[in-house]
Amino acid sequence: MSVASPNNTAAFMADLKAKNAAEPEFHQAVHEVVESLEDFLNEHPKYRHARILERIVEPERVIMFRIPWVNDKGIMCVNRGYRIEMNSAIGPYKGGLRFHPTVTLGVLKFLAFEQVFKNSLTTLPMGGGKGGSDFDPKGKSDNEVMRFCQSFMTELYRHIGPNTDIPAGDIGVGGREIGFLFGQYKRIRNEFTGVLTGKGLNWGGSLIRPEATGYGNVYFAREMLKTKNEDFDGKKILVSGSGNVAQYTVQKVTQLGGKVITLSDSSGYILDPDGIDDKKLEYVMHLKNNKRGRIEEYAKKYGVSYFKNKRPWSEKGDIALPSATQNEIDEADALALIANGCICVSEGANMPSSPEAIHVFIKNKILFGPGKAANAGGVAVSGLEMTQNSMRLSWTREEIDERLQAIMRQIHSTCCSYGKNENGFINYINGANIGGFVKVADAMMAQGAV
Ligand code: GLU
Protein backbone atom coordinates (compact mmCIF):
# COMPACT_ATOMS: atom_id res chain seq x y z
CA MET A 1 0.00 0.00 0.00
CA SER A 2 1.40 3.40 -0.91
CA VAL A 3 1.41 6.10 1.74
CA ALA A 4 0.01 9.45 0.65
CA SER A 5 2.08 12.47 1.67
CA PRO A 6 0.30 15.07 3.83
CA ASN A 7 -1.91 17.26 1.65
CA ASN A 8 -1.35 20.01 4.12
CA THR A 9 1.25 22.67 3.38
CA ALA A 10 1.73 23.60 7.05
CA ALA A 11 2.52 20.01 8.09
CA PHE A 12 4.85 19.53 5.14
CA MET A 13 6.70 22.76 5.92
CA ALA A 14 6.98 21.96 9.63
CA ASP A 15 8.69 18.68 8.70
CA LEU A 16 10.97 20.36 6.17
CA LYS A 17 12.04 23.03 8.66
CA ALA A 18 12.77 20.47 11.37
CA LYS A 19 14.89 18.47 8.95
CA ASN A 20 16.68 21.45 7.40
CA ALA A 21 17.14 23.79 10.34
CA ALA A 22 18.71 27.23 9.90
CA GLU A 23 18.14 27.34 6.14
CA PRO A 24 15.56 30.18 5.84
CA GLU A 25 16.09 30.82 2.12
CA PHE A 26 15.55 27.14 1.35
CA HIS A 27 12.34 27.14 3.43
CA GLN A 28 11.17 30.25 1.57
CA ALA A 29 11.80 28.77 -1.88
CA VAL A 30 10.13 25.45 -1.03
CA HIS A 31 7.14 27.12 0.63
CA GLU A 32 6.41 29.16 -2.47
CA VAL A 33 6.42 26.05 -4.66
CA VAL A 34 4.42 23.86 -2.28
CA GLU A 35 1.78 26.58 -1.95
CA SER A 36 1.47 26.84 -5.74
CA LEU A 37 1.18 23.09 -6.09
CA GLU A 38 -1.45 22.47 -3.42
CA ASP A 39 -4.58 22.46 -5.63
CA PHE A 40 -2.79 20.82 -8.53
CA LEU A 41 -1.63 17.92 -6.33
CA ASN A 42 -5.12 17.51 -4.90
CA GLU A 43 -6.40 17.14 -8.46
CA HIS A 44 -3.56 14.73 -9.37
CA PRO A 45 -3.10 12.49 -6.28
CA LYS A 46 -0.67 10.19 -8.14
CA TYR A 47 2.14 12.65 -7.33
CA ARG A 48 1.32 12.55 -3.63
CA HIS A 49 1.15 8.78 -3.64
CA ALA A 50 4.58 8.63 -5.26
CA ARG A 51 5.91 11.06 -2.58
CA ILE A 52 7.26 13.37 -5.28
CA LEU A 53 7.25 16.44 -3.00
CA GLU A 54 9.21 14.65 -0.27
CA ARG A 55 11.73 13.47 -2.85
CA ILE A 56 12.07 16.69 -4.82
CA VAL A 57 13.10 18.73 -1.74
CA GLU A 58 15.83 16.22 -0.85
CA PRO A 59 19.04 16.81 -2.87
CA GLU A 60 20.26 13.69 -4.66
CA ARG A 61 23.70 14.52 -3.32
CA VAL A 62 25.42 17.33 -1.37
CA ILE A 63 29.17 17.75 -1.61
CA MET A 64 30.91 20.00 0.90
CA PHE A 65 34.65 20.50 0.94
CA ARG A 66 37.66 22.45 2.16
CA ILE A 67 39.36 24.96 -0.15
CA PRO A 68 42.83 25.87 1.10
CA TRP A 69 44.70 28.57 -0.84
CA VAL A 70 47.59 30.96 -0.25
CA ASN A 71 47.06 34.71 -0.63
CA ASP A 72 49.52 37.24 -2.10
CA LYS A 73 51.08 37.83 1.33
CA GLY A 74 51.89 34.15 1.62
CA ILE A 75 49.22 33.56 4.25
CA MET A 76 47.21 30.32 4.21
CA CYS A 77 43.48 30.90 3.81
CA VAL A 78 40.62 28.43 3.93
CA ASN A 79 37.12 28.62 2.52
CA ARG A 80 34.25 26.19 2.28
CA GLY A 81 33.11 24.82 -1.09
CA TYR A 82 29.80 23.20 -2.02
CA ARG A 83 28.02 21.50 -4.88
CA ILE A 84 24.36 20.62 -4.48
CA GLU A 85 23.34 17.94 -7.01
CA MET A 86 19.62 18.45 -6.60
CA ASN A 87 17.79 16.55 -9.33
CA SER A 88 18.86 14.65 -12.44
CA ALA A 89 15.47 13.29 -13.56
CA ILE A 90 15.46 15.13 -16.92
CA GLY A 91 19.17 15.63 -17.57
CA PRO A 92 22.59 16.06 -15.96
CA TYR A 93 22.84 18.48 -13.03
CA LYS A 94 23.16 22.02 -14.37
CA GLY A 95 23.52 25.33 -12.57
CA GLY A 96 25.93 28.04 -11.59
CA LEU A 97 28.61 28.58 -8.96
CA ARG A 98 28.30 31.53 -6.60
CA PHE A 99 31.33 33.03 -4.84
CA HIS A 100 30.09 35.44 -2.18
CA PRO A 101 30.56 35.80 1.60
CA THR A 102 26.80 35.22 2.13
CA VAL A 103 26.98 31.73 0.61
CA THR A 104 25.80 28.99 2.99
CA LEU A 105 24.45 25.50 2.52
CA GLY A 106 20.88 26.85 2.83
CA VAL A 107 21.40 29.57 0.20
CA LEU A 108 22.78 27.05 -2.28
CA LYS A 109 19.97 24.59 -1.56
CA PHE A 110 17.42 27.30 -2.34
CA LEU A 111 19.24 28.12 -5.56
CA ALA A 112 19.57 24.45 -6.57
CA PHE A 113 15.88 23.88 -5.83
CA GLU A 114 14.87 26.87 -7.99
CA GLN A 115 17.19 25.66 -10.71
CA VAL A 116 15.35 22.32 -11.04
CA PHE A 117 12.11 24.09 -12.00
CA LYS A 118 13.83 26.78 -14.06
CA ASN A 119 15.78 24.27 -16.13
CA SER A 120 12.66 22.20 -16.69
CA LEU A 121 10.85 25.32 -17.99
CA THR A 122 13.57 25.99 -20.59
CA THR A 123 12.37 22.89 -22.53
CA LEU A 124 15.99 21.66 -22.65
CA PRO A 125 17.15 18.39 -21.03
CA MET A 126 18.89 19.75 -17.92
CA GLY A 127 18.61 18.65 -14.29
CA GLY A 128 19.27 21.09 -11.45
CA GLY A 129 22.32 21.87 -9.34
CA LYS A 130 24.15 24.77 -7.75
CA GLY A 131 27.43 25.31 -6.00
CA GLY A 132 29.92 27.83 -4.81
CA SER A 133 31.83 29.12 -1.85
CA ASP A 134 31.85 31.77 0.87
CA PHE A 135 34.99 33.15 -0.80
CA ASP A 136 34.75 36.94 -1.34
CA PRO A 137 36.33 37.96 -4.67
CA LYS A 138 36.04 41.66 -3.73
CA GLY A 139 39.49 43.20 -3.34
CA LYS A 140 41.33 40.00 -4.37
CA SER A 141 44.05 40.10 -7.04
CA ASP A 142 43.72 38.09 -10.28
CA ASN A 143 46.39 35.73 -8.95
CA GLU A 144 44.52 35.16 -5.71
CA VAL A 145 41.32 34.44 -7.62
CA MET A 146 43.24 32.02 -9.86
CA ARG A 147 44.77 30.13 -6.93
CA PHE A 148 41.38 29.94 -5.25
CA CYS A 149 39.67 28.64 -8.42
CA GLN A 150 42.41 26.04 -8.93
CA SER A 151 42.01 24.78 -5.37
CA PHE A 152 38.21 24.74 -5.73
CA MET A 153 38.42 22.65 -8.91
CA THR A 154 41.06 20.32 -7.44
CA GLU A 155 38.25 18.90 -5.33
CA LEU A 156 35.23 19.57 -7.54
CA TYR A 157 36.62 17.86 -10.67
CA ARG A 158 35.92 14.35 -9.32
CA HIS A 159 32.20 15.09 -8.97
CA ILE A 160 31.43 16.75 -12.33
CA GLY A 161 31.63 15.96 -16.04
CA PRO A 162 29.98 16.91 -19.34
CA ASN A 163 27.34 14.17 -18.90
CA THR A 164 27.13 14.34 -15.11
CA ASP A 165 27.16 17.89 -13.78
CA ILE A 166 27.95 21.07 -15.70
CA PRO A 167 28.57 24.16 -13.54
CA ALA A 168 28.55 27.74 -14.83
CA GLY A 169 28.71 31.26 -13.42
CA ASP A 170 26.53 33.12 -10.93
CA ILE A 171 27.29 36.03 -8.57
CA GLY A 172 31.09 36.42 -8.27
CA VAL A 173 31.79 33.90 -11.04
CA GLY A 174 32.18 35.33 -14.54
CA GLY A 175 34.41 34.77 -17.56
CA ARG A 176 37.65 35.14 -15.58
CA GLU A 177 36.70 32.52 -12.98
CA ILE A 178 35.25 30.08 -15.55
CA GLY A 179 38.60 30.31 -17.39
CA PHE A 180 40.64 29.43 -14.30
CA LEU A 181 38.23 26.63 -13.35
CA PHE A 182 38.20 25.17 -16.86
CA GLY A 183 41.99 25.29 -17.14
CA GLN A 184 42.41 23.35 -13.92
CA TYR A 185 39.76 20.76 -14.85
CA LYS A 186 41.46 20.19 -18.20
CA ARG A 187 44.86 19.72 -16.56
CA ILE A 188 43.61 17.20 -14.04
CA ARG A 189 41.39 15.18 -16.40
CA ASN A 190 43.49 15.63 -19.53
CA GLU A 191 40.38 16.13 -21.62
CA PHE A 192 38.79 19.09 -23.41
CA THR A 193 35.05 18.81 -22.87
CA GLY A 194 32.05 21.05 -22.31
CA VAL A 195 32.18 20.51 -18.53
CA LEU A 196 31.50 24.18 -17.76
CA THR A 197 29.41 26.77 -19.59
CA GLY A 198 30.09 30.46 -19.93
CA LYS A 199 33.46 29.68 -21.53
CA GLY A 200 35.41 32.13 -23.69
CA LEU A 201 34.38 32.32 -27.35
CA ASN A 202 37.57 30.83 -28.77
CA TRP A 203 37.63 27.87 -26.36
CA GLY A 204 34.14 26.43 -26.58
CA GLY A 205 31.94 29.28 -25.38
CA SER A 206 28.70 30.35 -27.00
CA LEU A 207 27.76 33.69 -28.51
CA ILE A 208 25.02 35.49 -26.53
CA ARG A 209 25.81 33.55 -23.29
CA PRO A 210 26.98 36.71 -21.45
CA GLU A 211 23.90 38.59 -22.67
CA ALA A 212 21.42 35.75 -22.17
CA THR A 213 20.06 36.28 -18.63
CA GLY A 214 19.46 40.01 -19.06
CA TYR A 215 18.15 39.72 -22.63
CA GLY A 216 15.98 36.76 -21.64
CA ASN A 217 14.39 38.67 -18.77
CA VAL A 218 13.56 41.58 -21.06
CA TYR A 219 12.10 39.17 -23.65
CA PHE A 220 10.00 37.56 -20.92
CA ALA A 221 8.78 40.95 -19.63
CA ARG A 222 7.97 41.91 -23.24
CA GLU A 223 5.69 38.85 -23.49
CA MET A 224 3.98 39.75 -20.22
CA LEU A 225 3.51 43.37 -21.37
CA LYS A 226 1.99 42.14 -24.65
CA THR A 227 -0.88 40.54 -22.72
CA LYS A 228 -1.84 44.09 -21.69
CA ASN A 229 -1.09 45.64 -25.10
CA GLU A 230 1.96 47.34 -23.62
CA ASP A 231 5.67 47.42 -24.52
CA PHE A 232 8.97 48.97 -23.38
CA ASP A 233 8.80 51.97 -25.70
CA GLY A 234 8.92 55.24 -23.74
CA LYS A 235 8.80 53.49 -20.36
CA LYS A 236 10.96 54.32 -17.32
CA ILE A 237 12.68 51.26 -15.92
CA LEU A 238 14.21 50.61 -12.49
CA VAL A 239 17.07 48.09 -12.58
CA SER A 240 19.01 46.95 -9.51
CA GLY A 241 22.47 45.39 -9.56
CA SER A 242 25.25 46.37 -11.96
CA GLY A 243 26.79 43.01 -12.82
CA ASN A 244 26.30 40.77 -15.82
CA VAL A 245 22.49 40.47 -15.61
CA ALA A 246 21.88 44.18 -14.98
CA GLN A 247 24.28 45.28 -17.74
CA TYR A 248 22.62 43.34 -20.54
CA THR A 249 19.18 44.19 -19.18
CA VAL A 250 20.04 47.85 -19.67
CA GLN A 251 21.31 47.15 -23.19
CA LYS A 252 18.18 45.32 -24.34
CA VAL A 253 15.72 47.70 -22.66
CA THR A 254 17.45 50.62 -24.40
CA GLN A 255 17.26 48.82 -27.77
CA LEU A 256 13.50 48.40 -27.23
CA GLY A 257 12.99 52.11 -26.56
CA GLY A 258 12.85 52.05 -22.74
CA LYS A 259 14.89 54.27 -20.41
CA VAL A 260 16.76 52.68 -17.48
CA ILE A 261 17.22 55.24 -14.70
CA THR A 262 18.77 53.25 -11.82
CA LEU A 263 21.56 50.75 -11.12
CA SER A 264 22.95 49.59 -7.79
CA ASP A 265 25.52 47.52 -5.92
CA SER A 266 25.75 46.37 -2.33
CA SER A 267 26.75 49.91 -1.22
CA GLY A 268 23.90 51.93 -2.76
CA TYR A 269 22.18 53.04 -5.99
CA ILE A 270 22.51 55.74 -8.62
CA LEU A 271 19.62 57.66 -10.20
CA ASP A 272 20.17 58.98 -13.71
CA PRO A 273 16.94 60.68 -14.84
CA ASP A 274 18.28 61.10 -18.41
CA GLY A 275 18.67 57.34 -18.74
CA ILE A 276 21.69 55.04 -18.99
CA ASP A 277 22.47 55.13 -22.71
CA ASP A 278 24.93 52.92 -24.61
CA LYS A 279 27.90 55.18 -23.88
CA LYS A 280 27.20 55.25 -20.14
CA LEU A 281 26.61 51.50 -20.17
CA GLU A 282 30.04 51.02 -21.74
CA TYR A 283 31.46 52.95 -18.79
CA VAL A 284 29.54 50.75 -16.30
CA MET A 285 30.88 47.62 -18.00
CA HIS A 286 34.45 48.83 -17.80
CA LEU A 287 33.96 49.99 -14.20
CA LYS A 288 32.46 46.68 -13.04
CA ASN A 289 34.13 44.09 -15.27
CA ASN A 290 37.68 45.46 -15.55
CA LYS A 291 38.28 48.03 -12.82
CA ARG A 292 36.02 46.09 -10.42
CA GLY A 293 34.99 49.44 -8.84
CA ARG A 294 31.85 50.68 -7.10
CA ILE A 295 28.71 52.12 -8.78
CA GLU A 296 29.19 55.33 -6.72
CA GLU A 297 31.87 56.28 -9.26
CA TYR A 298 29.14 56.53 -11.95
CA ALA A 299 27.43 59.27 -9.94
CA LYS A 300 30.69 61.22 -9.71
CA LYS A 301 31.47 60.81 -13.41
CA TYR A 302 28.03 61.83 -14.70
CA GLY A 303 27.05 64.25 -11.90
CA VAL A 304 23.93 62.32 -10.85
CA SER A 305 22.57 61.37 -7.41
CA TYR A 306 23.91 58.48 -5.37
CA PHE A 307 21.99 56.99 -2.46
CA LYS A 308 24.24 55.20 -0.01
CA ASN A 309 23.00 51.94 1.52
CA LYS A 310 19.64 52.30 -0.23
CA ARG A 311 17.76 50.31 -2.87
CA PRO A 312 16.13 51.91 -5.91
CA TRP A 313 12.53 50.79 -5.31
CA SER A 314 11.20 54.10 -3.99
CA GLU A 315 11.93 55.79 -7.34
CA LYS A 316 9.13 56.32 -9.84
CA GLY A 317 9.26 53.75 -12.64
CA ASP A 318 6.83 51.89 -14.91
CA ILE A 319 8.70 48.60 -14.80
CA ALA A 320 11.12 47.07 -12.25
CA LEU A 321 13.73 44.52 -13.22
CA PRO A 322 15.49 43.41 -10.00
CA SER A 323 18.85 41.98 -11.07
CA ALA A 324 20.94 41.91 -7.89
CA THR A 325 20.21 39.17 -5.33
CA GLN A 326 17.66 37.34 -3.15
CA ASN A 327 15.20 39.26 -0.96
CA GLU A 328 16.18 42.68 -2.30
CA ILE A 329 12.50 43.77 -2.50
CA ASP A 330 10.60 43.70 0.79
CA GLU A 331 6.97 44.54 1.48
CA ALA A 332 7.63 48.28 1.92
CA ASP A 333 9.56 48.36 -1.38
CA ALA A 334 6.71 46.55 -3.15
CA LEU A 335 4.15 49.00 -1.74
CA ALA A 336 6.33 51.91 -2.90
CA LEU A 337 6.55 50.44 -6.42
CA ILE A 338 2.77 50.04 -6.60
CA ALA A 339 2.16 53.55 -5.21
CA ASN A 340 4.43 54.92 -7.93
CA GLY A 341 2.44 53.22 -10.69
CA CYS A 342 4.70 50.26 -11.50
CA ILE A 343 2.85 47.86 -13.85
CA CYS A 344 5.38 45.05 -14.17
CA VAL A 345 8.10 43.38 -12.08
CA SER A 346 10.23 40.77 -13.82
CA GLU A 347 12.97 39.04 -11.82
CA GLY A 348 16.45 38.92 -13.36
CA ALA A 349 17.89 37.74 -10.04
CA ASN A 350 16.93 34.56 -8.18
CA MET A 351 14.14 35.14 -5.62
CA PRO A 352 14.70 38.93 -5.30
CA SER A 353 11.16 39.49 -3.98
CA SER A 354 10.27 38.46 -0.43
CA PRO A 355 7.02 36.46 0.05
CA GLU A 356 5.35 39.60 1.47
CA ALA A 357 6.41 41.62 -1.60
CA ILE A 358 5.02 38.95 -3.93
CA HIS A 359 1.76 39.06 -2.03
CA VAL A 360 1.55 42.82 -2.68
CA PHE A 361 2.17 42.32 -6.42
CA ILE A 362 -0.41 39.56 -6.77
CA LYS A 363 -3.00 41.43 -4.69
CA ASN A 364 -2.59 44.46 -6.94
CA LYS A 365 -2.72 42.21 -10.03
CA ILE A 366 0.35 43.67 -11.71
CA LEU A 367 2.45 41.62 -14.13
CA PHE A 368 4.86 39.64 -11.95
CA GLY A 369 7.42 37.34 -13.58
CA PRO A 370 9.16 35.07 -11.02
CA GLY A 371 12.88 34.44 -11.49
CA LYS A 372 12.61 30.77 -12.33
CA ALA A 373 10.69 31.73 -15.47
CA ALA A 374 11.95 35.24 -16.20
CA ASN A 375 15.68 34.68 -15.74
CA ALA A 376 15.84 31.22 -17.33
CA GLY A 377 17.45 32.68 -20.47
CA GLY A 378 20.93 32.38 -18.95
CA VAL A 379 20.79 28.67 -18.29
CA ALA A 380 18.89 28.16 -21.55
CA VAL A 381 21.81 29.52 -23.56
CA SER A 382 24.11 27.43 -21.34
CA GLY A 383 22.08 24.48 -22.63
CA LEU A 384 22.68 25.69 -26.18
CA GLU A 385 26.40 25.98 -25.37
CA MET A 386 26.34 22.31 -24.31
CA THR A 387 24.62 21.36 -27.57
CA GLN A 388 27.22 23.21 -29.63
CA ASN A 389 30.05 21.59 -27.62
CA SER A 390 28.59 18.12 -28.24
CA MET A 391 28.34 18.80 -31.97
CA ARG A 392 31.75 20.53 -31.99
CA LEU A 393 30.45 23.51 -33.92
CA SER A 394 29.25 27.05 -33.20
CA TRP A 395 26.01 28.74 -34.13
CA THR A 396 25.75 32.38 -35.21
CA ARG A 397 24.61 35.23 -32.96
CA GLU A 398 21.34 35.49 -34.87
CA GLU A 399 20.62 31.79 -34.55
CA ILE A 400 21.15 31.79 -30.77
CA ASP A 401 19.21 35.00 -30.20
CA GLU A 402 16.34 33.51 -32.25
CA ARG A 403 16.38 30.34 -30.12
CA LEU A 404 16.58 32.36 -26.89
CA GLN A 405 13.55 34.42 -27.91
CA ALA A 406 11.64 31.27 -28.84
CA ILE A 407 12.49 29.65 -25.48
CA MET A 408 11.37 32.73 -23.51
CA ARG A 409 8.10 32.80 -25.50
CA GLN A 410 7.61 29.11 -24.74
CA ILE A 411 8.24 29.64 -21.01
CA HIS A 412 5.72 32.47 -21.06
CA SER A 413 3.10 30.31 -22.71
CA THR A 414 3.75 27.44 -20.25
CA CYS A 415 3.18 29.93 -17.40
CA CYS A 416 -0.07 31.03 -19.04
CA SER A 417 -1.38 27.51 -19.51
CA TYR A 418 -0.75 26.53 -15.89
CA GLY A 419 -1.26 29.92 -14.24
CA LYS A 420 -4.37 31.47 -15.79
CA ASN A 421 -7.16 32.06 -13.29
CA GLU A 422 -10.86 31.90 -14.18
CA ASN A 423 -11.04 35.70 -14.16
CA GLY A 424 -8.28 35.86 -16.78
CA PHE A 425 -5.51 37.00 -14.40
CA ILE A 426 -2.25 35.16 -15.06
CA ASN A 427 -0.54 34.07 -11.86
CA TYR A 428 2.95 33.52 -13.28
CA ILE A 429 4.21 32.06 -9.99
CA ASN A 430 1.71 29.23 -10.05
CA GLY A 431 2.27 28.86 -13.79
CA ALA A 432 6.06 28.55 -13.44
CA ASN A 433 5.94 26.28 -10.40
CA ILE A 434 3.37 23.87 -11.81
CA GLY A 435 4.78 23.98 -15.35
CA GLY A 436 8.31 23.32 -14.08
CA PHE A 437 7.14 20.59 -11.70
CA VAL A 438 5.10 18.40 -14.07
CA LYS A 439 7.95 17.48 -16.41
CA VAL A 440 10.36 16.61 -13.58
CA ALA A 441 7.69 14.77 -11.56
CA ASP A 442 6.60 12.68 -14.55
CA ALA A 443 10.22 11.75 -15.27
CA MET A 444 10.72 10.74 -11.63
CA MET A 445 7.56 8.62 -11.73
CA ALA A 446 8.74 6.90 -14.91
CA GLN A 447 12.15 6.14 -13.38
CA GLY A 448 10.82 4.42 -10.25
CA ALA A 449 12.27 4.95 -6.79
CA VAL A 450 14.80 7.65 -7.70
N1 GLU B 1 23.52 31.07 -12.54
C1 GLU B 1 22.57 31.12 -13.60
C2 GLU B 1 21.18 30.81 -13.08
O1 GLU B 1 20.87 31.18 -11.97
C3 GLU B 1 23.00 30.31 -14.82
C4 GLU B 1 23.26 28.86 -14.58
C5 GLU B 1 23.88 28.13 -15.78
O2 GLU B 1 24.10 28.74 -16.81
O3 GLU B 1 24.09 26.93 -15.62
O4 GLU B 1 20.34 30.25 -13.73
Side-chain angles (χ1 to χ4, degrees):
M1 194 189 85
S2 61
V3 190
S5 61
N7 53 0
N8 173 326
T9 302
F12 181 85
M13 286 308 301
D15 254 24
L16 181 105
K17 285 181 185 171
K19 238 177 151 175
N20 303 273
E23 296 176 1
E25 294 85 1
F26 181 55
H27 306 161
Q28 183 182 334
V30 172
H31 185 255
E32 185 207 285
V33 169
V34 174
E35 227 180 9
S36 281
L37 287 172
E38 198 159 348
D39 290 346
F40 179 81
L41 294 182
N42 290 340
E43 285 154 26
H44 302 86
K46 65 176 180 179
Y47 298 117
R48 288 203 199 274
H49 284 290
R51 315 279 279 187
I52 296 290
L53 270 192
E54 285 78 353
R55 286 194 267 159
I56 217 166
V57 298
E58 198 63 52
E60 288 179 16
R61 192 173 301 105
V62 173
I63 302 145
M64 206 159 122
F65 50 98
R66 178 206 296 164
I67 314 164
W69 60 281
V70 178
N71 74 11
D72 287 347
K73 296 195 183 93
I75 295 167
M76 177 68 75
C77 304
V78 58
N79 286 96
R80 185 173 287 177
Y82 307 85
R83 186 72 183 165
I84 318 294
E85 296 186 331
M86 197 76 191
N87 196 301
S88 62
I90 61 166
Y93 310 107
K94 178 83 196 93
L97 298 171
R98 177 176 292 192
F99 292 169
H100 195 268
T102 57
V103 163
T104 59
L105 179 62
V107 165
L108 293 179
K109 278 172 68 181
F110 119 63
L111 289 163
F113 182 73
E114 293 272 302
Q115 200 82 44
V116 173
F117 296 82
K118 185 195 302 193
N119 293 3
S120 162
L121 285 167
T122 64
T123 72
L124 304 175
M126 298 182 289
K130 201 90 186 189
S133 172
D134 57 1
F135 174 76
D136 187 359
K138 211 188 280 170
K140 303 286 190 302
S141 71
D142 285 351
N143 277 329
E144 287 177 323
V145 171
M146 179 178 75
R147 285 195 293 276
F148 173 81
C149 287
Q150 289 177 339
S151 184
F152 185 88
M153 187 53 86
T154 300
E155 173 57 34
L156 188 69
Y157 87 93
R158 71 188 83 245
H159 307 289
I160 62 175
N163 296 309
T164 307
D165 184 354
I166 304 92
D170 196 82
I171 295 173
V173 178
R176 173 183 63 169
E177 291 75 16
I178 294 293
F180 296 147
L181 292 163
F182 184 79
Q184 185 72 351
Y185 180 89
K186 184 163 62 61
R187 275 174 88 194
I188 299 175
R189 289 268 196 197
N190 192 27
E191 54 182 39
F192 194 114
T193 62
V195 65
L196 292 161
T197 59
K199 299 184 290 300
L201 274 183
N202 51 5
W203 44 279
S206 172
L207 285 160
I208 309 274
R209 178 62 191 89
E211 293 88 337
T213 313
Y215 278 19
N217 188 27
V218 177
Y219 294 148
F220 189 84
R222 183 172 61 178
E223 292 303 308
M224 291 200 292
L225 289 167
K226 256 190 221 161
T227 66
K228 303 262 182 215
N229 292 320
E230 288 280 4
D231 57 31
F232 274 98
D233 201 24
K235 298 280 190 311
K236 261 195 213 166
I237 325 292
L238 309 177
V239 175
S240 62
S242 46
N244 166 269
V245 181
Q247 292 168 13
Y248 289 102
T249 298
V250 174
Q251 189 170 81
K252 188 49 78 182
V253 165
T254 310
Q255 283 169 13
L256 297 181
K259 186 155 85 172
V260 176
I261 57 169
T262 62
L263 279 176
S264 69
D265 60 22
S266 54
S267 314
Y269 78 92
I270 59 108
L271 171 68
D272 187 343
D274 292 338
I276 301 161
D277 60 20
D278 287 348
K279 189 105 196 70
K280 292 172 180 170
L281 177 60
E282 210 177 289
Y283 169 79
V284 173
M285 287 179 163
H286 181 69
L287 174 69
K288 284 287 165 183
N289 310 347
N290 305 111
K291 265 183 77 186
R292 298 182 192 274
R294 309 304 294 162
I295 201 67
E296 186 177 5
E297 294 173 48
Y298 180 104
K300 290 195 186 116
K301 179 160 171 76
Y302 294 108
V304 301
S305 312
Y306 173 68
F307 300 86
K308 200 175 160 69
N309 292 329
K310 290 224 155 61
R311 302 186 291 223
W313 313 124
S314 55
E315 296 299 338
K316 195 169 168 50
D318 305 302
I319 297 168
L321 303 173
S323 308
T325 194
Q326 65 267 14
N327 292 324
E328 53 166 315
I329 302 184
D330 63 17
E331 187 175 20
D333 296 324
L335 289 167
L337 285 167
I338 298 290
N340 278 325
C342 177
I343 58 166
C344 171
V345 176
S346 197
E347 298 185 331
N350 290 312
M351 208 168 75
S353 310
S354 72
E356 297 76 24
I358 294 176
H359 183 73
V360 170
F361 298 144
I362 299 293
K363 204 173 136 210
N364 284 277
K365 293 199 162 49
I366 66 161
L367 299 167
F368 175 69
K372 56 172 82 69
N375 73 39
V379 74
V381 175
S382 276
L384 301 179
E385 181 171 331
M386 288 162 65
T387 308
Q388 294 168 83
N389 290 165
S390 300
M391 297 191 301
R392 299 198 191 286
L393 53 77
S394 313
W395 290 326
T396 62
R397 233 188 129 75
E398 292 67 36
E399 179 147 15
I400 296 161
D401 195 37
E402 242 344 276
R403 285 178 191 266
L404 172 61
Q405 294 193 47
I407 289 171
M408 298 317 295
R409 276 197 300 271
Q410 181 58 52
I411 298 174
H412 182 267
S413 87
T414 302
C415 289
C416 293
S417 10
Y418 287 104
K420 205 170 217 155
N421 290 352
E422 276 147 31
N423 57 16
F425 173 69
I426 304 162
N427 183 323
Y428 288 91
I429 306 189
N430 287 348
N433 287 336
I434 302 169
F437 173 83
V438 171
K439 187 171 156 192
V440 177
D442 286 345
M444 289 170 74
M445 304 264 289
Q447 291 167 26
V450 292

